[in-house]
Structure formats: C-alpha cells, structure tokens
Amino acid sequence: MPLIVQKYGGTSVGNIERIKNVARKIKKAVDEGNQVVVVSSAMTGETDRLIGLTRELSNRPNPREQDMVVATGEQVAIGLVAIALQELGVPAISLTGWQVPIITDNVHTKARIKKIDTHRIRKHLDEGKVVIVAGFQGVSEDGDITTLGRGGSDTSAVALAAALKADVCEIYTDVPGVFTADPRIVENARKIPVISYEEMMEMASLGSKVMQIRSVEFGAKYGVKIHVRSSFNDEEGTWIMEENEEMEKVVVRGISHELKESRITVVRVPDKPGVAAKLFKALGDKNIVVDMIVQNVSHKGFTDISFTVNKTDADYAEEIAREVAKEVGAEDVERNDKIAKISVVGLGMKTHSGVAGKMFEVLYKEGINIYAISTSEIKISCLIDEKYAELAVRALHEAFIENMEGDIQYE
Ligand code: ASP
Ligand code: MG
C-alpha cells in the first residue's frame, strides 16, 4: 500500500471550515488506497500569538519555557484534525512530537531532529488509522519539549517521510507552488513544475516563503520526493526532486530576494592571521548562522570584514562582533539592516557561462550599486540597498526568464 505524508500549513487549518476541508482531502487519499500520515502546523497566527505572550513577560524568554508555550499551537490543531476525520468516519489518532517520539538535540527554539522512532506510527497505520502528528516539535534526550524553528513543520513532515520511507511528501500550503520570482512583485512570474533540491535550497527566500529550507536539505539527504501544492484546489504544484539532465537545460530557474538579513562590518581590523577565525568561531559557538562574508583587500595592514546574518540574530551577532573587535583591536563595528540579497539560481549555470556578467550589467543599467557578491556553482547573489530590491528582481526576471524562453545563449 502506498504511504503518503501530507503536511498542512497554518492557513490550511486556519479555521474550522478549513479543517473540515483538510479532513476531506485526507479522506480522499485514504479512499484512493493510501496509508496517510498527516503533519499539521498550528492554526494561522497562533504561533505568533503564543510567542507574543512570552514577550509580554520577558524580552529574552527562557528558551525551554518558550518551547513549552509555543508547542501547544500544534497540539490544538492535530486534535481538531483528528476529530474532523472521525466525524467523516475515518479512523484517526493524533500524536504530539514526544508521543511519537521525534527525538531532537536540546537547542531550544531551533532544535534539530536526531532520530524518529516509527514503531508507534506504524502500529496505528497497521490498525487502519490515519496518524496526525504535531509539526514543529520534538523531545530532547532529557525529555524536554523542543521546537524546530519557525516553519519547522515542513521539516517534521519531510523527516517523517524519510523515516517512514514514504512514497511522497505532500506539502499543502496557501500558494500553488514555487514560482520563478515572488508573484507579488513580478507579474509574469510562473509556477515551476520541477526543481532540484539544490536549486530549491539556493532559492532560499523564494523557497522559504513556501517551505522551511532545512526540510529541503532533509529531502535531499534522504531522497524524499516532495510535492508542494495548494490546499485549496487539486492542481499539480511544484515537485522537488533529484536533478536530471532535462533540468540542466534551464540556465536560470528563478530569481530570489531576501530582506531578512543584516550586514555587520568590523571596521579596520588588523590584517593578521586568526582574526576571522576568532570572529566566526564566536558566532558559530552561539549557533548564529552567517551567510555572506566579505573581507576587503587590506590597506596599510588593516582591513574590513563584513558578514550577513538573519535579522533575528543581528543584535546578538553585533554584540559578539563588538567583543571580538575590542579583543583584536579593530576600530569599530557598523551595522546596516536596510539591505537585500538578490540571487539568480539555476542548475544550467554549471555548464553555461556569462550569467554573472549579465546579472551585473542588468543591475548597472538600473543604476543599482552592488555591496557584495557571492557565488556557488548554481547561484550568484548580490547584496544591494533594500530600496532597490523589487526593481532588481523585476529587471532580472525580465532579462533571465521572460526574454530567455528556450534560449540559453547570453553572449
Ligand atoms: N507553527 C510554526 C510556525 O509558525 C511551525 C510551522 O508553521 O511550520 O513557525
Ligand atoms: Mg509554513
């Protein structure tokens, strides 16, 4: 019997009517002869509300206690979905993360899944039940409730699909799939039918509005076929899977933009070995993920080191940078929250040149200054002023996607 993992996001279970709709969708998959494991997020807005409550008491709530509060959102949702299914005559049981159990490390509020024990889920599936698992949460080896970071239900779903060797992991959401650019910015953005894990990971912002990126990493590692689709209709969405030759024919799959980062610059650092090591080790020790790093050419024995971090980590990162700056005798630390990272992403870049040059030219023609550049085999990112983000995305989409249908020559 095929096994499907279906994940429903917050808007899909946003009210009782929608929960009934979700139950009908699940019933359909059951009637079609599938075993079904469902992962649900909290009802829309609930996680924000719960975090808000903790913030009314403290600016930096104890992370263990925050997890205790925030994990309740999903518990409500799974119970409601189970009841809705039972009302349709479908045997169903809901399980929290610790009932499964989904074992995580003990990094509260951004825990990572270490292991999933599938015995109990299997048992209930064998009894003919739909099993509804709370997304976003797990339990540490010490027995404490943990959560996986915002949007973590996707990771719960893909990890469960991997552990259960499911045939597919369906991510039901409020958008029809992954687009070539944010459709709210680019009128001509189109739905992408198939995308590789690697491209999806590189399209962080485009992707992460749809799915938590860590879930795609998981999918790639265990080869889980992911189908992102709308919970409001039956249309095919976007399949995320292993790359194949066909996919390489498209040079640029999408244009993504990220406004969630801040740039921190350590100014006039003595240019000697060990400074970067000290800085980035200190950040790493605090679990702060650094994205772009730029070190300028040194001038009279001094240099500037800039890096970007998620805005939510920026206060802390700045604090750490100031400590390190003092230690190594740097002049100052500067911070800019008004930046945007714009990326062009595509597997075909592995075999086609000229993309970077064309990207810089498009930005130049729009009069947009580039603060920093980073590249990978399949992505080029430019850091620019936040106020030009939409203009840049539109211009790049036009140049690389709208004007390039079936055409891969840039020179
Ligand atoms: N409810 C959690 C959040 O809002 C997890 C999720 O929706 O995936 O981040
Ligand atoms: Mg989500």
Side-chain angles (χ1 to χ4, degrees):
M1 217 182 194
L3 172 60
I4 304 181
V5 173
Q6 297 189 330
K7 181 260 169 176
Y8 292 95
T11 42
S12 307
V13 294
N15 58 41
I16 294 298
E17 263 327 297
R18 287 184 174 180
I19 288 175
K20 286 184 184 170
N21 175 50
V22 161
R24 283 191 290 270
K25 268 193 176 310
I26 299 168
K27 181 174 190 301
K28 186 162 167 258
V30 172
D31 291 345
E32 284 166 1
N34 299 293
Q35 288 190 314
V36 185
V37 172
V38 174
V39 174
S40 182
S41 297
M43 294 167 81
T44 186
E46 183 61 9
T47 306
D48 287 334
R49 188 184 75 84
L50 293 167
I51 292 174
L53 291 177
T54 68
R55 290 294 145 92
E56 281 182 40
L57 292 166
S58 164
N59 287 334
R60 254 194 219 172
N62 175 295
R64 180 193 181 275
E65 305 310 331
Q66 179 168 326
D67 278 350
M68 186 65 91
V69 174
V70 169
T72 60
E74 273 69 16
Q75 187 171 334
V76 172
I78 55 170
L80 292 174
V81 173
I83 294 169
L85 276 168
Q86 289 162 0
E87 282 301 301
L88 296 178
V90 180
I93 182 166
S94 61
L95 297 176
T96 59
W98 53 100
Q99 284 177 310
V100 172
I102 296 172
I103 311 288
T104 70
D105 61 21
N106 60 5
V107 184
H108 285 284
T109 77
K110 36 179 147 172
R112 282 182 180 262
I113 297 176
K114 291 175 83 173
K115 172 168 104 218
I116 298 179
D117 182 345
T118 56
H119 286 92
R120 183 158 181 195
I121 294 180
R122 289 258 180 231
K123 187 185 99 184
H124 293 311
L125 287 172
D126 290 344
E127 293 162 355
K129 289 180 182 152
V130 172
V131 184
I132 302 131
V133 179
F136 179 54
Q137 56 177 253
V139 61
S140 70
E141 268 153 358
D142 313 324
D144 285 325
I145 296 171
T146 53
T147 64
L148 310 179
R150 297 309 303 271
S153 299
D154 297 321
T155 300
S156 310
V158 177
L160 273 167
L164 291 162
K165 301 190 173 56
D167 295 274
V168 56
C169 181
E170 297 183 324
I171 305 286
Y172 284 96
T173 178
D174 53 359
V175 294
V178 182
F179 281 72
T180 50
D182 186 337
R184 285 168 304 187
I185 296 176
V186 180
E187 206 187 319
N188 294 327
R190 313 185 255 101
K191 185 165 74 189
I192 301 172
V194 187
I195 185 171
S196 69
Y197 299 115
E198 215 189 336
E199 286 171 316
M200 184 73 182
M201 283 187 266
E202 292 287 22
M203 298 233 277
S205 77
L206 269 187
S208 66
K209 277 176 203 134
V210 184
M211 276 184 84
Q212 196 192 40
I213 289 309
R214 200 185 282 172
S215 69
V216 185
E217 280 168 30
F218 236 103
K221 193 160 163 203
Y222 297 99
V224 179
K225 267 197 188 164
I226 302 170
H227 186 188
V228 183
R229 57 196 306 189
S230 166
S231 63
F232 304 126
N233 60 48
D234 289 328
E235 266 169 45
E236 284 274 306
T238 299
W239 285 85
I240 309 169
M241 55 171 79
E242 233 125 78
E243 65 179 84
N244 57 43
E245 266 172 40
E246 200 51 38
M247 288 184 190
E248 270 196 42
K249 290 188 184 148
V250 176
V251 181
V252 174
R253 181 95 45 207
I255 316 291
S256 81
H257 69 287
E258 179 63 79
L259 301 174
K260 280 200 215 117
E261 290 184 6
S262 293
R263 179 179 62 163
I264 293 170
T265 304
V266 186
V267 183
R268 260 177 80 83
V269 187
D271 192 11
K272 58 177 190 225
V275 173
K278 198 169 261 169
L279 177 61
F280 294 108
K281 170 141 197 329
L283 293 163
D285 285 348
K286 301 294 179 204
N287 285 307
I288 295 175
V289 178
V290 174
D291 181 24
M292 289 172 126
I293 299 175
V294 181
Q295 178 169 341
N296 292 352
V297 177
S298 82
H299 182 70
K300 294 192 178 129
F302 290 93
T303 183
D304 292 347
I305 301 178
S306 295
F307 60 93
T308 62
V309 295
N310 206 299
K311 278 198 173 92
T312 52
D313 287 332
D315 285 343
Y316 203 12
E318 187 184 342
E319 216 174 275
I320 292 168
R322 286 197 185 280
E323 278 163 29
V324 175
K326 204 191 273 171
E327 247 178 81
V328 301
E331 189 181 283
D332 197 9
V333 170
E334 285 169 2
R335 165 162 161 196
N336 184 351
D337 289 337
K338 295 204 168 0
I339 52 153
K341 186 178 74 174
I342 313 292
S343 310
V344 302
V345 177
L347 274 182
M349 278 184 214
K350 283 185 185 172
T351 43
H352 295 89
S353 58
V355 178
K358 178 165 171 159
M359 178 178 191
F360 305 151
E361 192 186 312
V362 170
L363 295 177
Y364 164 70
K365 279 193 178 142
E366 299 294 340
I368 299 170
N369 191 24
I370 301 171
Y371 296 150
I373 299 162
S374 76
T375 63
S376 80
E377 232 190 339
I378 64 161
K379 176 176 86 162
I380 302 161
S381 302
C382 292
L383 204 63
I384 62 171
D385 195 314
E386 184 187 75
K387 66 175 181 260
Y388 299 123
E390 297 195 358
L391 174 64
V393 172
R394 275 191 212 109
L396 291 167
H397 192 271
E398 197 184 319
F400 282 107
I401 292 173
E402 289 160 54
N403 294 343
M404 280 297 154
E405 311 279 324
D407 182 1
I408 49 177
Q409 293 312 312
Y410 291 142
E411 268 90 15

